[in-house]
Amino acid sequence: MSVPTTVIVGASVGGVRTARALRSAGYAGEIVLVGAEDHLPYDRPPLSKGFLAGTATREDLTLLDEDAADAAGIRLELGTPASAVDLAGRAVELADGRRLGFDELVIATGARPRPSPWGAPRGLHVLRTLDDALALREDLDRGGPLVIIGAGFIGAEIAATATTAGLADVTLVDPMRVPLGRVLDPAVARRFGRLHADRGVTTRFGIAVTGVETIDGGLVVTLDDGTRLPAATVVVGIGAVPNDDWVRGSGLTVADGVVCDEYCRAHGVPGVHAVGDVARWFHPRHRRLVRAEHWTNAVEQADCVAHNITHPNDLRAHEPVEYVWTDQYDWRIQLVGQTGGSLDHVILAGADPDRGFAVLYAHSTGEFAGAVTVNWPRAVIACRKALHAPVTLNAVRETVMAATARPRRSRSGTP
């Protein structure tokens, strides 16, 4: 009897976690992990923070080295991307012409930055890969003005990292009137805009970029109000698109990601699963298809897929509570559940209101929907727990304040 094989395409956190979780769940077959990059599998969140600042090394980012892969029986196929999947032949085709047969296939190819509308002149960067971060860090080390187009998570983190590292001339531009405007309501988002302004970043919100051109060896960013910003370096962070091109035409349902059921199984195709940024699955709690570009989702979804591969008669639905964090300057900002939009909200002050606070959101019914917390670990723990069952915003507010007010005890049990 032949040994079953699971091929995992994508060697970032979703793919690596799936491989490790399969072994932890007792999977005895062959596991092949395919990665497009030559680098050992690595973690991406530090690329815009510690690695860009030079405080984290490549080794610090590594998720799986050769020794750990050998010990776990995970075969690494790095440096050659997958180019197609043959569902009838149960094989993944690689760009160099090789075919990898599979019994189970896990698609974990993530997402890529939305391309720059202004081309790729020297000095203009996007940030997704280790090589992207290395190139950007080299340019930032030369100094000079930095213009960041897009004030989402990536853009805001790069602005904070560059400013903290000593770059004196940083400008953050976004056509929305507030940073993080896609996940926060304007009133709350303005507090994060002030955070950047207070740290010396020039913020140009509510203004669009109309062009980026090379002049006299440097770059000039033109805004729709006629302003021209000279720049030594430009970073474009205007969103991401799923890496699903390679499976289009294969017979899989692809629509802003690989479409899956609540068990993360590709729609209508046995033995094929998707995890992470490339997966668009039916979320049982929200009753709709969802695609999430968050590290925590990729980890939890990988564990779910590994369980479902190894326990086909005891399937587990993937219905996570949304959770994402971002580190900007000395602020840790954490988001759980649903935030922003037209949701009602209340703001709670922490022990140091200038640095620690929470914003609790509710549906029109009064049911708690989610929260944003800043430098307040106990609040985010309480809010994450509360989202596992229906509860009112008022009840969560009382829980958060009670948990925060509770006196800490020493190890001996005395206050």
Side-chain angles (χ1 to χ4, degrees):
M1 184 175 179
S2 61
V3 175
T5 298
T6 293
V7 173
I8 303 168
V9 183
S12 193
V13 65
V16 171
R17 185 60 178 256
T18 303
R20 287 189 173 278
L22 281 170
R23 287 293 184 235
S24 296
Y27 183 78
E30 184 178 7
I31 299 174
V32 183
L33 184 62
V34 179
E37 298 178 63
D38 290 321
H39 306 292
L40 286 168
Y42 61 88
D43 210 10
R44 297 188 190 278
L47 294 179
S48 57
K49 299 182 279 287
F51 186 77
L52 188 62
T55 58
T57 66
R58 295 193 196 193
E59 291 72 23
D60 294 331
L61 272 60
T62 300
L63 293 170
L64 185 70
D65 61 23
E66 293 97 334
D67 291 341
D70 288 343
I74 300 168
R75 179 176 137 206
L76 298 177
E77 289 284 352
L78 305 177
T80 304
S83 57
V85 58
D86 175 3
L87 294 177
R90 308 296 284 180
V92 170
E93 299 176 5
L94 303 184
D96 62 6
R98 287 180 295 149
R99 289 169 60 89
L100 302 174
F102 64 82
D103 296 281
E104 303 280 347
L105 171 63
V106 179
I107 299 169
T109 41
R112 63 186 181 276
R114 195 173 297 280
S116 161
W118 309 285
R122 182 176 177 82
L124 185 146
H125 300 262
V126 295
L127 180 59
R128 179 69 181 182
T129 69
L130 180 60
D131 288 338
D132 291 339
L134 288 168
L136 175 57
R137 191 167 72 181
E138 183 178 348
D139 274 4
L140 293 182
D141 285 346
R142 296 192 183 104
L146 167 65
V147 176
I148 302 165
I149 304 171
F153 288 116
I154 290 293
E157 288 175 357
I158 293 172
T161 299
T163 301
T164 302
L167 200 63
D169 191 346
V170 178
T171 302
L172 188 57
V173 182
D174 197 291
M176 299 192 73
R177 295 189 178 278
V178 290
L180 304 177
R182 293 163 184 82
V183 294
L184 300 175
D185 57 275
V188 174
R190 277 193 287 271
R191 296 189 71 161
F192 297 106
R194 289 198 299 272
L195 169 67
H196 288 282
D198 289 346
R199 303 301 175 97
V201 174
T202 300
T203 57
R204 302 299 305 270
F205 299 142
I207 300 173
V209 172
T210 59
V212 179
E213 56 188 322
T214 301
I215 297 178
D216 296 330
L219 295 170
V220 174
V221 179
T222 304
L223 308 184
D224 65 0
D225 66 355
T227 302
R228 291 168 64 82
L229 304 173
T233 305
V234 173
V235 177
V236 177
I238 54 175
V241 293
N243 281 321
D244 55 20
D245 295 2
W246 70 281
V247 297
R248 291 181 179 273
S250 66
L252 292 170
T253 302
V254 179
D256 185 35
V258 177
V259 177
C260 301
D261 64 13
E262 64 266 39
Y263 306 112
C264 305
R265 302 177 302 186
H267 180 68
V269 183
V272 179
H273 319 259
V275 304
D277 297 4
V278 75
R280 189 164 179 245
W281 85 100
F282 182 80
H283 196 303
R285 186 156 48 85
H286 298 321
R287 306 299 301 169
R288 60 183 173 84
L289 291 171
V290 171
R291 190 173 71 82
E293 297 175 2
H294 305 320
W295 187 95
T296 305
N297 176 70
V299 169
E300 294 177 349
Q301 199 164 32
D303 288 344
C304 179
V305 165
H307 171 88
N308 292 340
I309 289 174
T310 54
H311 299 82
N313 297 319
D314 179 28
L315 296 177
R316 178 189 301 162
H318 181 52
E319 45 185 337
V321 170
E322 298 86 354
Y323 172 68
V324 62
W325 79 93
T326 175
D327 294 325
Q328 299 175 27
Y329 309 101
D330 56 349
W331 282 25
R332 166 150 285 199
I333 305 160
Q334 295 170 284
L335 294 83
V336 297
Q338 300 175 64
T339 60
S342 59
L343 295 169
D344 298 329
H345 71 272
V346 297
I347 300 176
L348 306 181
D352 179 356
D354 291 334
R355 292 195 66 256
F357 60 91
V359 186
L360 309 186
Y361 292 87
H363 299 291
S364 58
T365 60
E367 182 181 335
F368 179 56
V372 177
T373 69
V374 176
N375 297 331
W376 198 349
R378 289 190 178 191
V380 76
I381 291 170
C383 291
R384 290 187 77 178
K385 288 180 178 178
L387 285 166
H388 288 284
V391 63
T392 66
L393 181 146
N394 286 335
V396 176
R397 174 167 51 188
E398 292 175 5
T399 299
V400 169
M401 298 311 294
T404 303
R406 187 178 301 128
R408 296 183 180 179
R409 294 185 175 274
S410 67
R411 292 184 179 179
S412 63
T414 57

